[in-house]
């Protein structure tokens, strides 16, 4: 919760332990980290109704590839069927309040159109300046880096704002707030980019796809995104290599510097 307070000082005015849970005062409203859930005070006695809010491990460097085995492999093998049988439902109040969007219309009102890597799309207005800095740095690096130039020339589509739930869940996606970006190449050429797309192809062992079997943007581009508070889905066990989402609290929690 201290990491959240450090990441969003304009929105979070206090962080303290209250009645047995750590809590933050977000835009005048208290939210509690109650048994792993980010909940308003009215829901603290109803934790079993909500899925946990993950503060996942995010390594500074992409770790060496190691094929999952044993208990980890079994968990990953069954994650999609378990989600479909019991779709996770995360309470949206914290993020609705943080991004000031409780409905699609309110979210639309917070969007601004930017030109980014040559594409025009809508993002949350609070991220406009950060994304324009990322764009400028990547474009400058492309002048001398052929891998980045090839990456930019092969972009097929970029999307950010999309009011929807995370696939196979009833939890609101970060795309709903315009704070996540998907960058897809023109052709994947047989490479995997998203774990659910891979697992849907009659491949129950999708988690065994090594890095060389996945689409990866240049790590120099990933580093620039991370510099401004965006986590890259290629470092997740449930990989989503086209996906970047604004999670500065994760960076701060694991000792990484986030620039303004």
């Amino acid at each position: 919760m201290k990491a959240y307070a450090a990441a969003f000082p304009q929105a979070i005015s206090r962080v303290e332990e209250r009645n047995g849970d750590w809590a933050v005062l977000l835009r005048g409203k208290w939210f509690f980290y109650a048994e792993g859930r980010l909940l308003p005070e009215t829901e603290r006695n109803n934790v079993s109704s909500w899925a946990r809010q993950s503060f996942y491990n995010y390594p500074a460097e992409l770790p060496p590839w190691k094929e999952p085995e044993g208990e980890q492999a079994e968990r990953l093998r069954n994650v999609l069927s378990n989600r479909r049988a019991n779709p996770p439902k995360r309470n949206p109040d914290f993020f609705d309040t943080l991004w000031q969007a409780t409905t699609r219309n309110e979210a639309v009102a917070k969007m601004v159109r930017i030109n980014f890597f040559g594409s025009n799309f809508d993002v949350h207005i609070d991220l406009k300046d950060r994304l324009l800095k990322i764009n400028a740095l990547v474009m400058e690096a492309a002048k001398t880096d052929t891998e980045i130039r090839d990456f930019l020339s092969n972009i097929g589509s970029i999307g950010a704002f999309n009011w929807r739930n995370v696939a196979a869940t009833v939890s609101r996606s970060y795309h709903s707030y315009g704070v996540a970006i998907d960058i897809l190449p023109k052709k994947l050429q047989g490479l995997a980019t998203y774990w659910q797309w891979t697992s849907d192809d009659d491949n129950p062992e999708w988690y065994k796809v090594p890095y060389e079997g996945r689409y990866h943007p240049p790590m120099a581009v990933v580093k620039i995104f991370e510099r401004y508070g965006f986590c890259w889905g290629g470092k997740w066990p449930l990989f989503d290599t086209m996906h970047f989402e604004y999670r500065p609290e994760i960076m701060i929690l694991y000792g990484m510097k986030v620039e303004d």
Side-chain angles (χ1 to χ4, degrees):
M1 298 304 271
K2 288 181 178 180
Y4 260 123
F8 299 97
Q10 293 82 15
I12 296 175
S13 55
R14 290 172 64 185
V15 55
E16 61 187 54
E17 190 175 1
R18 291 172 65 87
N19 303 322
D21 285 318
W22 280 96
V24 292
L25 186 62
L26 170 62
R27 303 194 191 282
K29 184 176 180 180
W30 283 105
F31 286 88
F32 295 79
Y33 195 53
E35 297 184 30
R37 284 82 167 167
L38 278 171
L39 298 175
E41 191 160 16
T42 54
E43 288 294 319
R44 287 184 71 197
N45 295 324
N46 197 26
V47 292
S48 61
S49 298
W50 303 105
R52 292 178 178 271
Q53 172 61 38
S54 173
F55 288 88
Y56 50 78
N57 178 47
Y58 190 80
E61 304 296 336
L62 185 65
W65 166 252
K66 182 180 179 182
E67 184 177 301
E69 54 187 20
E71 183 178 332
Q72 183 188 21
E74 184 67 17
R75 179 180 60 81
L76 293 171
R77 184 181 297 112
N78 296 322
V79 67
L80 185 58
S81 59
N82 289 341
R83 281 191 175 193
R84 287 172 172 166
N86 187 24
K89 184 180 182 182
R90 186 181 64 205
N91 186 285
D93 287 0
F94 179 87
F95 297 100
D96 287 359
T97 303
L98 178 62
W99 298 112
Q100 297 178 295
T102 59
T103 67
R104 188 183 189 283
N105 286 341
E106 288 179 358
V108 168
K110 288 291 181 181
M111 296 303 120
V112 61
R113 179 143 294 204
I114 64 170
N115 184 275
F116 187 83
F117 295 174
S119 296
N120 296 308
F121 55 90
D122 293 332
V123 298
H124 196 285
I125 191 170
D126 289 356
L127 299 190
K128 176 184 175 181
D129 290 344
R130 289 178 177 275
L131 288 167
L132 292 180
K133 289 177 182 178
I134 292 170
N135 181 77
L137 288 170
V138 171
M139 291 301 182
E140 183 63 26
K143 294 177 181 178
T144 56
D145 189 318
T146 56
E147 185 184 13
I148 294 178
R149 282 202 302 274
D150 289 344
F151 161 73
L152 292 172
S153 65
N154 286 319
I155 290 175
S157 65
I158 306 181
F161 173 64
N162 184 3
W163 186 263
R164 63 172 177 81
N165 288 337
V166 177
T169 79
V170 286
S171 298
R172 195 163 293 159
S173 167
Y174 287 103
H175 285 289
S176 293
Y177 306 108
V179 298
I181 296 173
D182 287 339
I183 304 174
L184 271 171
K186 293 173 182 175
K187 293 183 178 179
L188 285 169
Q189 298 179 320
L191 298 176
T193 185
Y194 180 41
W195 73 275
Q196 285 205 49
W197 293 352
T198 307
S199 62
D200 278 346
D201 294 334
D202 299 320
N203 182 14
E205 296 186 329
W206 56 269
Y207 51 87
K208 291 186 177 181
V209 177
Y211 293 150
E212 58 265 28
R214 305 178 187 180
Y215 161 73
H216 281 190
M219 289 309 298
V221 172
V222 171
K223 287 291 186 184
I224 293 172
F225 269 98
E226 290 176 338
R227 182 172 161 184
Y228 288 94
F230 285 83
C231 292
W232 174 52
K235 292 183 178 178
W236 301 340
L238 303 181
F239 65 84
D240 191 352
T241 67
M242 63 181 164
H243 183 86
F244 296 86
E245 64 183 36
Y246 187 62
R247 297 293 305 276
E249 75 283 1
I250 296 291
M251 301 291 187
I252 292 169
L253 191 62
Y254 288 97
M256 286 175 262
K257 180 177 173 56
V258 176
E259 296 191 21
D260 293 331

